[in-house]
Amino acid sequence: MNTATRFTSQDAPACTHETSAVFGPEHLPVFKALALCMGGKDGPTLDLVNCENRQDGVFLTATNGHLLLTVELAGQTWMDTVSFTGQSVRDFVSSKGHSPLAIDETYDFPDVRQVFPSEFNEPHNRIGLNATYVDVMAKVLKALKCTGKSKYQAVTMQHNGAYSPMLFSWDGDDELFVGASFILMPIRLD
């Protein structure tokens, strides 16, 4: 069972905004990857990282509307479900994991589970992808330390045709994260 399956297997827990998670320098690779997938200042409602605590794990999600990254953390980190402001995530990354993460209490992160395809049954032989977003996925893999000198990562791709969301999944090292799922929206070729 991959991260996408575990993430979509339950409804989103309510966003409580009551407590902050404790993240430090050891989580820096995950937040570097998430920062690559957040919306910018032009899309403030997507300029967040959502953190869900569930019985089966902790899931961090970021999206800019064109791509989406969900990372399942390794180990047990106990906290409520919260959304961190984009600026505090950028500050956390630039401080190498020493800056606190601020909770955004003004906006509830959308339930992005509806973007994940529930099944894959219509493969297609010609699909258009925005090269910029493919490059973001490569940078996410690098930030999560899945690629590098003499290191490679197997990435699986699933889709339901030329115009459906494409799901890329890979396993983590179980020390930093269990696995990750990256959704990429295709572009029209015709």
Side-chain angles (χ1 to χ4, degrees):
M1 182 182 302
N2 65 22
T3 294
T5 304
R6 285 187 295 273
F7 179 66
T8 58
S9 67
Q10 297 179 17
D11 292 334
C15 207
T16 61
H17 305 299
E18 290 176 0
T19 187
S20 176
V22 179
F23 291 107
E26 66 275 14
H27 298 103
L28 185 60
V30 171
F31 280 91
K32 280 183 178 179
L34 291 162
L36 291 166
C37 300
M38 289 187 315
K41 294 177 181 153
D42 296 335
T45 58
L46 297 173
D47 193 23
L48 303 166
V49 168
N50 194 53
C51 179
E52 289 185 14
N53 180 35
R54 302 191 329 209
Q55 288 180 338
D56 61 338
V58 175
F59 296 85
L60 295 162
T61 303
T63 182
N64 68 9
H66 300 283
L67 50 88
L68 180 144
L69 174 65
T70 296
V71 178
E72 181 180 0
L73 291 183
Q76 297 179 344
T77 306
W78 299 105
M79 70 210 77
D80 289 331
T81 296
V82 295
S83 291
F84 300 119
T85 66
Q87 187 57 53
S88 74
V89 171
R90 288 186 285 277
D91 292 345
F92 182 85
V93 169
S94 67
S95 73
K96 298 186 182 197
H98 296 287
S99 178
L101 291 161
I103 296 171
D104 185 327
E105 297 188 25
T106 61
Y107 184 76
D108 285 334
F109 200 81
D111 185 5
V112 294
R113 284 166 183 72
Q114 62 193 347
V115 178
F116 286 83
S118 59
E119 59 183 36
F120 298 96
N121 54 15
E122 295 181 30
H124 196 270
N125 63 356
R126 188 168 182 255
I127 299 173
L129 299 174
N130 183 321
T132 301
Y133 297 137
V134 173
D135 184 50
V136 170
M137 185 173 66
K139 289 176 181 175
V140 163
L141 285 160
K142 184 176 180 181
L144 290 172
K145 301 181 186 292
C146 295
T147 61
K149 189 175 182 178
S150 69
K151 192 174 187 179
Y152 70 93
Q153 180 69 42
V155 177
T156 60
M157 179 189 78
Q158 295 172 289
H159 64 89
N160 275 326
Y163 304 116
S164 70
M166 301 182 71
L167 174 64
F168 297 87
S169 299
W170 58 91
D171 293 330
D173 59 7
D174 288 333
E175 289 179 25
L176 178 62
F177 70 103
V178 175
S181 293
F182 185 88
I183 295 224
L184 179 58
M185 299 304 292
I187 58 174
R188 290 192 177 275
L189 296 174
D190 306 300

